[in-house]
Amino acid sequence: MNTTSFYKNIKEIKDFSKIMDNGNYHKVPSDWYVLISDVVDSTKAIEDGMYKKVNFVAALTIIGILNIDKELEFPYIFGGDGASLIIPPTLLDKSKIVLLETAKKAKEAFDL
């Protein structure tokens, strides 16, 4: 079974009062992956006035992975100093590259 379109096929909740209905929730396919990024020592960097850099680096993870395949849909959350994504297996190998390149760019360009 191809689970790549799992997220795209989830019905939108249009009525906020239905947000707690169990029927609106779905298990993530067992072949999908959870990716988490975190800017190391972000609290210190933010205290030092580097919050825009921290936010930018955290957003790079999402942006980079979204750009791998613009047709695929998957859930993600931006956390300010990191991100969490749930991706289909077709994105895993290229997502690893994005994560490594983002870490490299964070160090080289932003000293994070």
Side-chain angles (χ1 to χ4, degrees), residues 41-52 54-55 80-81 112:
D41 295 327
S42 59
T43 301
K44 173 83 171 97
I46 291 168
E47 288 170 355
D48 292 344
M50 298 172 52
Y51 71 94
K52 287 183 181 179
V54 170
N55 286 173
D81 67 342
L112 295 170

Side-chain angles (χ1 to χ4, degrees), residues 56-95:
F56 185 76
V57 168
L60 280 177
T61 302
I62 297 170
I63 294 165
I65 295 173
L66 282 170
N67 282 327
I68 293 170
D69 183 339
K70 295 178 183 177
E71 298 298 315
L72 284 180
E73 293 184 26
F74 52 88
Y76 58 86
I77 297 172
F78 173 73
D81 67 342
S84 299
L85 307 90
I86 302 174
I87 62 164
T90 56
L91 295 182
L92 183 62
D93 291 338
K94 289 183 179 178
S95 293

Side-chain angles (χ1 to χ4, degrees), residues 17-34:
S17 69
K18 306 285 185 196
I19 197 139
M20 297 303 291
D21 290 356
N22 285 336
N24 289 323
Y25 291 87
H26 308 275
K27 289 185 178 186
V28 174
S30 62
D31 62 340
W32 281 44
Y33 294 87
V34 175

